[in-house]
Amino acid sequence: MIEAGDGDDVVVLLHGVGARADRWRENLAALTDAGFHVYALDFPGHGFAQKGIGPDYSVRGFAQFVREVLDELGVVSTAVVGTSLGGHVAARLAVDEPERVTAVVLVGPMGLVPVGADARQALADAVVDTGRDRIARKLRVLVHDDGLVTESWIEEEWRINNSGGAAESMAALAAYFAERIDDDLVGGELAASAPDVRCLLVWGSDDVLVPTALAQPALSVLPPGTELVLIEAAGHAPYLERPDDFNRPVVDFLTSARGRLSPTHRPEEDQVSIADRREVRVPGLAEPLSHYTDVVVHQGVAYVSGCIAVDEEGQLVGEGDVVAQTRQCLLNMERALRAVGSTFGDVLKVTVFLTDIADRTRINPVRQEFFGEARPASTLVQISALALPGAAVEIEAVAAVRS
C-alpha cells in the first residue's frame, strides 16, 4: 500500500489486473496538492500483497478486501478511483456500501456492460501468460505510445508477476475472467442501489484492452448526471500515460464531490478581486441564454463562455450537422477572443462538450482549421443534452490576453 497526503478527505486508488499500487505514481501529487489523503492498494495476488491459493480472486472478493483495509484504517467515508478491474471493484464497493463511498471515478472499467465470450477468453489468456515477451507485448498494448515501455519497466513487471505464488494467483484470476466476470455486472445496480454516489467515467481515446467503443454503452447504464471524459492520445492507462490531462478533470470532479467548490469553503486569499475583473459582452454574438456574460477577463486571462452554434439572433446553425455546428461555435469563439485582443494562438485550454462522443473524429479537422499549429490543453466530455434543443456541440476556452 502507498499512503500520501494528510487531508481530511480520503481517496482510494485501485489498479487493474496484473498491475500494482505504484501505477498511480503520476497522480499522487495532484491529489495530495488538492488536500486529499490518498491510499493506493495492492490487490491480493498483485504487487507486494499476498499471492498464491487462498484469497478470493473475484470482484466481490477484491471488494471485500478493500472493505477490510478501510475498516483497519478507520476510514468511514471515501472516494474511490479504479481502473479496468479496479473500476469494476470500485463500482461493486459503491453498490455494497453507498453510505461509505461518496464518489467513484471509473477509468476504462470492466464489469459495467458485458465484454463477451471471446474478449473474456482473450483477457484470461493474457492474465495467465507471464513470460517476459508476453509481458512486454501487454505493456505496449496498455499505452498508446509504446515508446513509454522501457526495458526496465518490462523487467520490473516480469519479476513481480513471476514472484512466489504469482502464477497461482494469475491462474485463479484467468479462470474467473473466462467463466464468471460477465455474470457479475454492476453498472445497472449503481443507479438503483447507490443513487447519491457521484460517478465520473474516464476512457483513453485509443484503448484497445477495454475498447473505447464500450464507453457509450457503459455511460448508458450509469446514474443520470454521470459524465464521460475522453483522454486524447491515450490507451488503457491514461492516468499513467497522460497524467496532466487525467489529473485535471479527476481532481476537479473529486473536489466538487466533497463540496470544496462552495464559496463558503473558499479560502479568503482565493477570493476574486473585483477591481481586476472585467465582464465583456461581444458585439455580433447572441444574447446569453441565462445569467452570464460572453467573456470574463481577470489578471491577464480570458475565460470564454461555452460557444454554441447560433447566429446573432440566437438561431441554431447546422441542425443535424455536427461539423457545421462546430465551425459556427469556433466562429463565435473567434469573435469573443478578438473582443479582448486574443487569438486562437493565445488559447491555453479548451473543453469540448459533445452529445455523441463518436463525433470526436468528425470535428477534429474543423478544430485544426481554426487552431492551426497551436495545440491547447483539451478536455472532451460527453453529456446527455445541451441547453439549446438540437445543439450537438459546445466549446469553452481559457486564453491569455496580450495587453
Side-chain angles (χ1 to χ4, degrees), residues 161-176:
N161 281 283
N162 286 276
S163 57
E168 293 86 351
S169 300
M170 293 301 106
L173 264 172
Y176 173 69

PDB file of all heavy atoms in Angstrom, residues 161-176:
ATOM      1  N   ASN A 161       5.456 -10.243 -11.480  1.00  0.00           N
ATOM      2  CA  ASN A 161       4.430 -11.187 -11.915  1.00  0.00           C
ATOM      3  C   ASN A 161       4.929 -12.631 -11.943  1.00  0.00           C
ATOM      4  O   ASN A 161       4.157 -13.550 -12.266  1.00  0.00           O
ATOM      5  CB  ASN A 161       3.877 -10.786 -13.274  1.00  0.00           C
ATOM      6  CG  ASN A 161       2.871  -9.650 -13.161  1.00  0.00           C
ATOM      7  OD1 ASN A 161       1.734  -9.855 -12.774  1.00  0.00           O
ATOM      8  ND2 ASN A 161       3.317  -8.440 -13.481  1.00  0.00           N
ATOM      9  N   ASN A 162       6.195 -12.815 -11.632  1.00  0.00           N
ATOM     10  CA  ASN A 162       6.736 -14.166 -11.520  1.00  0.00           C
ATOM     11  C   ASN A 162       7.336 -14.436 -10.147  1.00  0.00           C
ATOM     12  O   ASN A 162       8.095 -15.381  -9.970  1.00  0.00           O
ATOM     13  CB  ASN A 162       7.792 -14.408 -12.607  1.00  0.00           C
ATOM     14  CG  ASN A 162       7.169 -14.591 -13.980  1.00  0.00           C
ATOM     15  OD1 ASN A 162       6.746 -15.678 -14.349  1.00  0.00           O
ATOM     16  ND2 ASN A 162       7.091 -13.498 -14.736  1.00  0.00           N
ATOM     17  N   SER A 163       6.957 -13.595  -9.176  1.00  0.00           N
ATOM     18  CA  SER A 163       7.415 -13.819  -7.811  1.00  0.00           C
ATOM     19  C   SER A 163       6.621 -14.964  -7.194  1.00  0.00           C
ATOM     20  O   SER A 163       5.652 -15.472  -7.776  1.00  0.00           O
ATOM     21  CB  SER A 163       7.251 -12.531  -6.990  1.00  0.00           C
ATOM     22  OG  SER A 163       5.910 -12.096  -7.007  1.00  0.00           O
ATOM     23  N   GLY A 164       7.019 -15.384  -6.025  1.00  0.00           N
ATOM     24  CA  GLY A 164       6.433 -16.558  -5.393  1.00  0.00           C
ATOM     25  C   GLY A 164       4.930 -16.489  -5.243  1.00  0.00           C
ATOM     26  O   GLY A 164       4.407 -15.552  -4.640  1.00  0.00           O
ATOM     27  N   GLY A 165       4.227 -17.476  -5.794  1.00  0.00           N
ATOM     28  CA  GLY A 165       2.775 -17.533  -5.708  1.00  0.00           C
ATOM     29  C   GLY A 165       2.039 -16.764  -6.772  1.00  0.00           C
ATOM     30  O   GLY A 165       0.817 -16.885  -6.906  1.00  0.00           O
ATOM     31  N   ALA A 166       2.733 -15.943  -7.574  1.00  0.00           N
ATOM     32  CA  ALA A 166       2.066 -15.114  -8.580  1.00  0.00           C
ATOM     33  C   ALA A 166       1.396 -15.964  -9.651  1.00  0.00           C
ATOM     34  O   ALA A 166       0.294 -15.642 -10.119  1.00  0.00           O
ATOM     35  CB  ALA A 166       3.066 -14.146  -9.214  1.00  0.00           C
ATOM     36  N   ALA A 167       2.049 -17.041 -10.084  1.00  0.00           N
ATOM     37  CA  ALA A 167       1.477 -17.875 -11.139  1.00  0.00           C
ATOM     38  C   ALA A 167       0.135 -18.465 -10.710  1.00  0.00           C
ATOM     39  O   ALA A 167      -0.829 -18.475 -11.492  1.00  0.00           O
ATOM     40  CB  ALA A 167       2.450 -18.993 -11.510  1.00  0.00           C
ATOM     41  N   GLU A 168       0.049 -18.937  -9.472  1.00  0.00           N
ATOM     42  CA  GLU A 168      -1.210 -19.478  -8.973  1.00  0.00           C
ATOM     43  C   GLU A 168      -2.292 -18.395  -8.896  1.00  0.00           C
ATOM     44  O   GLU A 168      -3.455 -18.635  -9.221  1.00  0.00           O
ATOM     45  CB  GLU A 168      -1.002 -20.101  -7.588  1.00  0.00           C
ATOM     46  CG  GLU A 168      -0.119 -21.345  -7.582  1.00  0.00           C
ATOM     47  CD  GLU A 168       1.359 -21.016  -7.496  1.00  0.00           C
ATOM     48  OE1 GLU A 168       1.722 -19.817  -7.615  1.00  0.00           O
ATOM     49  OE2 GLU A 168       2.143 -21.953  -7.305  1.00  0.00           O
ATOM     50  N   SER A 169      -1.898 -17.192  -8.473  1.00  0.00           N
ATOM     51  CA  SER A 169      -2.846 -16.078  -8.393  1.00  0.00           C
ATOM     52  C   SER A 169      -3.401 -15.740  -9.768  1.00  0.00           C
ATOM     53  O   SER A 169      -4.616 -15.567  -9.950  1.00  0.00           O
ATOM     54  CB  SER A 169      -2.164 -14.847  -7.796  1.00  0.00           C
ATOM     55  OG  SER A 169      -1.671 -15.096  -6.504  1.00  0.00           O
ATOM     56  N   MET A 170      -2.507 -15.631 -10.750  1.00  0.00           N
ATOM     57  CA  MET A 170      -2.935 -15.271 -12.089  1.00  0.00           C
ATOM     58  C   MET A 170      -3.793 -16.361 -12.718  1.00  0.00           C
ATOM     59  O   MET A 170      -4.739 -16.088 -13.459  1.00  0.00           O
ATOM     60  CB  MET A 170      -1.723 -14.964 -12.968  1.00  0.00           C
ATOM     61  CG  MET A 170      -0.947 -13.718 -12.570  1.00  0.00           C
ATOM     62  SD  MET A 170      -1.920 -12.173 -12.587  1.00  0.00           S
ATOM     63  CE  MET A 170      -2.132 -11.878 -10.823  1.00  0.00           C
ATOM     64  N   ALA A 171      -3.515 -17.626 -12.421  1.00  0.00           N
ATOM     65  CA  ALA A 171      -4.325 -18.728 -12.940  1.00  0.00           C
ATOM     66  C   ALA A 171      -5.746 -18.656 -12.376  1.00  0.00           C
ATOM     67  O   ALA A 171      -6.731 -18.886 -13.103  1.00  0.00           O
ATOM     68  CB  ALA A 171      -3.679 -20.068 -12.589  1.00  0.00           C
ATOM     69  N   ALA A 172      -5.855 -18.343 -11.086  1.00  0.00           N
ATOM     70  CA  ALA A 172      -7.178 -18.209 -10.474  1.00  0.00           C
ATOM     71  C   ALA A 172      -7.939 -17.033 -11.089  1.00  0.00           C
ATOM     72  O   ALA A 172      -9.146 -17.128 -11.359  1.00  0.00           O
ATOM     73  CB  ALA A 172      -7.038 -18.023  -8.963  1.00  0.00           C
ATOM     74  N   LEU A 173      -7.248 -15.932 -11.323  1.00  0.00           N
ATOM     75  CA  LEU A 173      -7.886 -14.779 -11.966  1.00  0.00           C
ATOM     76  C   LEU A 173      -8.314 -15.104 -13.391  1.00  0.00           C
ATOM     77  O   LEU A 173      -9.393 -14.704 -13.841  1.00  0.00           O
ATOM     78  CB  LEU A 173      -6.922 -13.595 -11.973  1.00  0.00           C
ATOM     79  CG  LEU A 173      -7.061 -12.571 -10.852  1.00  0.00           C
ATOM     80  CD1 LEU A 173      -5.919 -11.583 -10.916  1.00  0.00           C
ATOM     81  CD2 LEU A 173      -8.388 -11.839 -10.951  1.00  0.00           C
ATOM     82  N   ALA A 174      -7.476 -15.819 -14.121  1.00  0.00           N
ATOM     83  CA  ALA A 174      -7.789 -16.179 -15.501  1.00  0.00           C
ATOM     84  C   ALA A 174      -9.067 -17.013 -15.561  1.00  0.00           C
ATOM     85  O   ALA A 174      -9.928 -16.808 -16.429  1.00  0.00           O
ATOM     86  CB  ALA A 174      -6.626 -16.935 -16.136  1.00  0.00           C
ATOM     87  N   ALA A 175      -9.196 -17.942 -14.632  1.00  0.00           N
ATOM     88  CA  ALA A 175     -10.398 -18.773 -14.598  1.00  0.00           C
ATOM     89  C   ALA A 175     -11.634 -17.915 -14.321  1.00  0.00           C
ATOM     90  O   ALA A 175     -12.699 -18.119 -14.932  1.00  0.00           O
ATOM     91  CB  ALA A 175     -10.246 -19.851 -13.538  1.00  0.00           C
ATOM     92  N   TYR A 176     -11.495 -16.958 -13.423  1.00  0.00           N
ATOM     93  CA  TYR A 176     -12.623 -16.069 -13.112  1.00  0.00           C
ATOM     94  C   TYR A 176     -13.013 -15.235 -14.329  1.00  0.00           C
ATOM     95  O   TYR A 176     -14.189 -15.082 -14.656  1.00  0.00           O
ATOM     96  CB  TYR A 176     -12.254 -15.164 -11.942  1.00  0.00           C
ATOM     97  CG  TYR A 176     -13.276 -14.095 -11.637  1.00  0.00           C
ATOM     98  CD1 TYR A 176     -14.514 -14.441 -11.115  1.00  0.00           C
ATOM     99  CD2 TYR A 176     -12.994 -12.756 -11.884  1.00  0.00           C
ATOM    100  CE1 TYR A 176     -15.461 -13.463 -10.836  1.00  0.00           C
ATOM    101  CE2 TYR A 176     -13.933 -11.775 -11.607  1.00  0.00           C
ATOM    102  CZ  TYR A 176     -15.171 -12.129 -11.089  1.00  0.00           C
ATOM    103  OH  TYR A 176     -16.111 -11.171 -10.819  1.00  0.00           O
TER     104      TYR A 176
END
